[in-house]
Amino acid sequence: MNRPRRNRKSESIRAMVRETNVSLSSLIYPLFVFEGKGDRIPIASMPGIFRWSQEEVINEVEACVNLGIHSFVLFPVFPESAKDKLASKSFAEDNFYLHLISKLKSLFPHITLMSDVAMDPYSSDGHDGLVIEGKILNDETLPILGNMAVAQAQAGIDIVGPSDMMDGRVEFIREALDDNGFTDVSIMSYTAKYASACYGPFREALDSAPRSGDKKTYQMDPANRMEALRELELDLMEGADMVMVKPATLYLDIISDIKMHSNVPVAAYNVSGEYAMVKAAAEKGWLDGNRMMNEMLLSITRAGADIILTYFAKEFALQEKNK
Ligand code: PBG
């Protein structure tokens, strides 16, 4: 009799025939940072995740490096007073975030640092694009993104992640980087980024929720699958070095589609809401949080993601270390 169970009879056989493994070197750990001194500030809806002061985050990066995490995506938090319609702070001389990128790269030259390129943390409208008379303008946003990307490149960023879903931004940013001599800075495009309810905790962490309206005129409709391939085609043509699907777990079909059609590495962003769901249920004792984490990261990898941006990175690294 044909018995598939034979391949499951012991942990060593299961490990031998395992088709998918999550690797720590493929994880990118998001870190929220703010200007000034002071302690880390917990984020209520994301247990275990903090806003780090620009001083404290150095120790945190060191701790992560010692655990084997070598890639980070940084998100700056700004007070309302630093925001304006044009997101001017994003490329200003006195932007602490740009200085922090340089500092981290000089202290830890071998790590990979990624940064979002989008207006929302700097925008008084809380949108990813320039808002004029209630409209989010596309082409007028591009030069702002170009300036932001070049400023981050000057600071020493390794990868920029256009996360705003404006049309034509990958090409615009590539040209801006190249024209300024930053031919080595990579672009990981947020290729298929959906207008999802899963970003709530992140917007709380950054205090970056839209002041009016929603993001549905630029982020994708969760109902659409074919459209992700159109976005992929454009991003590849425009010069993206890596492409991303976001969120991850509710969009495994999209990850799988994109993996089939992409000739560059595929990333998935396991977003704040996905993390919050697991943590909330685990806190209530309704789910086993650790097993959920592993199953989530495994399913994202199995669907085809080569890279995962995840708030679980540190917990996963700790687990691997204690194995
Ligand atoms: C900003 C940005 C968002 C996230 C990453 N970059 C929020 C948004 O688009 O509203 C979400 C990440 C998360 O929820 O973990 N453009």
Side-chain angles (χ1 to χ4, degrees), residues 116 120 128 163 193 199 202-203 215 219 246 272 311:
D116 253 28
D120 54 327
D128 294 21
S163 66
K193 175 172 181 178
Y199 311 146
F202 176 97
R203 292 180 191 168
K215 299 193 174 187
Q219 298 182 349
K246 175 183 172 196
S272 59
Y311 301 97

Side-chain angles (χ1 to χ4, degrees), residues 30 32 46 75 116-121 126 128 163-164 190 193-194 198-203 206 208-210 215 218-219 246 269-273 311:
F32 300 107
M46 300 176 76
F75 294 101
D116 253 28
V117 173
M119 289 177 65
D120 54 327
D128 294 21
S163 66
D164 56 292
Y190 285 63
K193 175 172 181 178
Y194 287 87
C198 291
Y199 311 146
F202 176 97
R203 292 180 191 168
L206 249 57
S208 66
K215 299 193 174 187
Y218 44 108
Q219 298 182 349
K246 175 183 172 196
Y269 199 141
N270 182 211
V271 299
S272 59
Y311 301 97

